[in-house]
Coordinates of all heavy atoms in Angstrom, one line a residue:
T16 N 103.6 123.9 96.6 CA 104.0 125.3 96.8 C 102.8 126.2 96.4 O 102.8 127.4 96.9 CB 105.2 125.7 95.9 OG1 104.9 125.4 94.5 CG2 106.4 125.0 96.4
L17 N 101.8 125.7 95.7 CA 100.7 126.5 95.3 C 99.4 125.9 96.0 O 99.1 124.8 95.7 CB 100.4 126.5 93.8 CG 101.4 127.4 93.0 CD1 101.1 127.1 91.5 CD2 101.3 128.8 93.3
F18 N 98.8 126.7 96.8 CA 97.5 126.3 97.4 C 96.4 127.0 96.7 O 95.8 128.0 97.1 CB 97.6 126.7 98.9 CG 98.7 126.0 99.7 CD1 100.0 126.4 99.6 CD2 98.4 124.9 100.4 CE1 101.0 125.7 100.3 CE2 99.4 124.2 101.1 CZ 100.7 124.6 101.0
D19 N 96.0 126.4 95.6 CA 95.1 126.9 94.7 C 93.9 126.0 94.4 O 93.8 124.9 95.0 CB 95.7 127.4 93.4 CG 96.4 126.2 92.7 OD1 96.3 125.0 93.1 OD2 97.1 126.5 91.6
D20 N 93.1 126.4 93.5 CA 91.9 125.5 93.1 C 92.3 124.1 92.6 O 91.6 123.2 92.9 CB 91.0 126.2 92.1 CG 90.2 127.4 92.7 OD1 90.1 127.5 93.9 OD2 89.8 128.2 91.9
R21 N 93.4 124.0 91.9 CA 93.9 122.7 91.4 C 94.2 121.8 92.6 O 93.9 120.6 92.5 CB 95.1 122.9 90.6 CG 94.8 123.6 89.2 CD 96.0 123.6 88.3 NE 96.3 122.3 87.9 CZ 97.4 121.9 87.2 NH1 98.3 122.8 86.9 NH2 97.6 120.7 86.8
L22 N 94.8 122.3 93.7 CA 95.1 121.5 94.9 C 93.8 121.1 95.5 O 93.6 119.9 95.9 CB 95.9 122.3 95.9 CG 96.2 121.6 97.2 CD1 97.0 120.3 97.0 CD2 96.8 122.5 98.2
H23 N 92.8 122.0 95.6 CA 91.5 121.7 96.2 C 90.8 120.6 95.4 O 90.2 119.6 96.0 CB 90.6 122.9 96.3 CG 91.3 124.0 97.1 ND1 90.7 125.2 97.3 CD2 92.4 124.0 97.9 CE1 91.5 126.0 98.1 NE2 92.5 125.2 98.4
I24 N 90.8 120.7 94.1 CA 90.2 119.7 93.2 C 90.9 118.3 93.4 O 90.3 117.3 93.5 CB 90.2 120.1 91.7 CG1 89.3 121.3 91.5 CG2 89.9 118.9 90.8 CD1 89.5 122.0 90.2
L25 N 92.3 118.3 93.5 CA 93.0 117.1 93.7 C 92.6 116.5 95.0 O 92.3 115.3 95.1 CB 94.5 117.4 93.7 CG 95.4 116.2 94.1 CD1 95.3 115.1 93.2 CD2 96.9 116.7 94.3
L26 N 92.5 117.2 96.1 CA 92.1 116.7 97.4 C 90.7 116.1 97.4 O 90.5 115.1 97.9 CB 92.3 117.8 98.5 CG 93.7 118.2 98.9 CD1 93.7 119.5 99.6 CD2 94.3 117.1 99.7
D27 N 89.8 116.9 96.8 CA 88.4 116.4 96.7 C 88.3 115.1 95.9 O 87.7 114.1 96.3 CB 87.5 117.4 96.0 CG 87.4 118.7 96.9 OD1 87.6 118.6 98.1 OD2 87.0 119.7 96.4
D28 N 89.1 115.0 94.7 CA 89.1 113.8 93.9 C 89.7 112.6 94.6 O 89.2 111.5 94.5 CB 89.8 114.1 92.6 CG 89.0 115.0 91.6 OD1 87.8 115.2 91.9 OD2 89.6 115.4 90.6

Side-chain angles (χ1 to χ4, degrees):
T16 56
L17 287 174
F18 294 82
D19 58 4
D20 287 343
R21 289 185 71 190
L22 175 64
H23 300 176
I24 291 167
L25 173 63
L26 288 163
D27 293 342
D28 287 350

